[in-house]
Amino acid sequence: MGAAFDIAYVFRFVPMLLTTLDVTLRIVAGATLLGLIAGLLVALPRLYRVPVLQNISQAYVSFFRGTPILIQLFLFYYGLPELLKFAHIDVTRAPVLLFVIATYGLNGGAYMSEMIRSAVLAVDRGQAEAAYAIGMSGYRTFTRIVLPQALPVALPLFANAVIAMLKDTSLAFTLGVMELTGKSQTLGMLTRHFTETYLSLALIYLLISLALEKLFRQAERRLLRHEREPSADVPRRSRRMRLLLRRPAGKGDVSL
């Protein structure tokens, strides 16, 4: 049984848990970068329908989206070193954090590949064909035509993927990584105030998620800053037009 609930422990545990925040953020940052690279490499064969690579990419996405992240952590940490032994590669002394980042990065790459593919397909194909028709190269067409329109579509999906990855890092403690959740487990065992520990942990995750959400929202507004917004006087002009149509035609007016 745990100790009696004491709200003071909730605020006392927050600075203790924050000492391991850098580990969680390193996992998220490293996995996000790896996920973007993997997602792009996986999305390209499916976008351009490369015969063999397209099937491999589909299998990759199906595996990482169809199996739990916890099972993937165990497979990479315990199974990958055994497989690499056949190639005479010893990774048993590699830091566990590398296995965690690799697992989360490859898992995130499966979702980000779908994000990239859907964002690119959302851009009108005719615009790319018109760019090719006037002599633009494939690289310039992608960077000048496709990418500026695909980014606003992909950014909300990317934000969801990053925030979901942040919350999924709570499973890294199962491999002995002392991140936020691992630290909370230790504090709970030492003090027996489990409820207060988890409330502190939930508060930290919530604040980080809200900060990321605000950051991505600002980035999305910046990407859409050139979009034309409806004029504020449109309703006023509409009412004026209705009044003009209702008014009897007078001298100099054109009756409709």
Side-chain angles (χ1 to χ4, degrees):
M1 293 292 293
F5 181 80
D6 187 352
I7 190 65
Y9 279 93
V10 175
F11 303 101
R12 188 182 304 175
F13 287 152
V14 169
M16 298 180 184
L17 293 175
L18 289 177
T19 59
T20 57
L21 178 61
D22 61 320
V23 179
T24 298
L25 295 181
R26 273 189 288 170
I27 295 174
V28 174
T32 301
L33 179 60
L34 179 60
L36 282 173
I37 296 173
L40 181 61
L41 294 177
V42 171
L44 288 176
R46 302 184 67 188
L47 285 171
Y48 292 98
R49 298 182 180 180
V50 182
V52 177
L53 296 180
Q54 182 181 7
N55 296 332
I56 297 176
S57 299
Q58 181 63 48
Y60 167 88
V61 172
S62 298
F63 173 78
F64 281 99
R65 294 180 66 186
T67 56
I69 183 64
L70 183 61
I71 303 302
Q72 296 168 19
L73 283 169
F74 291 153
L75 286 176
F76 271 81
Y77 184 66
Y78 296 109
L80 186 60
E82 297 298 325
L83 292 176
L84 292 178
K85 284 182 180 180
F86 293 102
H88 304 287
I89 300 176
D90 186 14
V91 294
T92 55
R93 297 183 180 180
V96 64
L97 195 61
L98 292 180
F99 290 97
V100 171
I101 292 175
T103 304
Y104 281 105
L106 293 176
N107 178 273
Y111 293 91
M112 291 183 187
S113 68
E114 295 296 300
M115 171 196 73
I116 294 171
R117 193 168 67 93
S118 61
V120 171
L121 292 176
V123 180
D124 186 8
R125 179 67 180 173
Q127 298 186 35
E129 293 175 353
Y132 294 142
I134 63 175
M136 292 183 67
S137 64
Y139 174 77
R140 292 192 65 189
T141 300
F142 181 77
T143 56
R144 300 288 297 275
I145 306 297
V146 178
L147 187 60
Q149 299 181 74
L151 278 178
V153 177
L155 190 58
L157 302 175
F158 177 72
N160 290 337
V162 173
I163 293 175
M165 188 181 299
L166 169 69
K167 293 181 290 185
D168 286 342
T169 56
S170 60
L171 296 174
F173 84 96
T174 57
L175 297 183
V177 177
M178 189 56 67
E179 40 76 59
L180 285 172
T181 306
K183 183 70 173 181
S184 69
Q185 293 285 330
T186 303
L187 287 176
M189 293 295 295
L190 290 175
T191 62
R192 311 302 296 175
H193 287 275
F194 292 101
T195 304
E196 295 89 331
T197 304
Y198 294 136
L199 283 175
S200 302
L201 184 63
L203 179 63
I204 292 174
Y205 275 119
L206 177 62
L207 291 177
I208 298 174
S209 298
L210 291 176
L212 288 174
E213 183 181 354
K214 184 176 181 180
L215 179 65
F216 284 119
R217 188 175 301 164
Q218 292 178 349
E220 184 179 2
R221 290 174 181 171
R222 184 172 180 81
L223 288 174
L224 296 174
R225 67 186 183 278
H226 298 301
E227 293 287 336
R228 293 188 61 183
E229 297 182 356
S231 178
D233 60 342
V234 168
R236 187 184 309 168
R237 287 187 306 209
S238 300
R239 290 193 297 269
R240 187 181 306 167
M241 183 61 68
R242 288 196 297 268
L243 290 174
L244 288 174
L245 290 174
R246 292 176 183 173
R247 189 181 66 181
K251 187 177 180 179
D253 291 338
V254 178
S255 62
L256 301 177

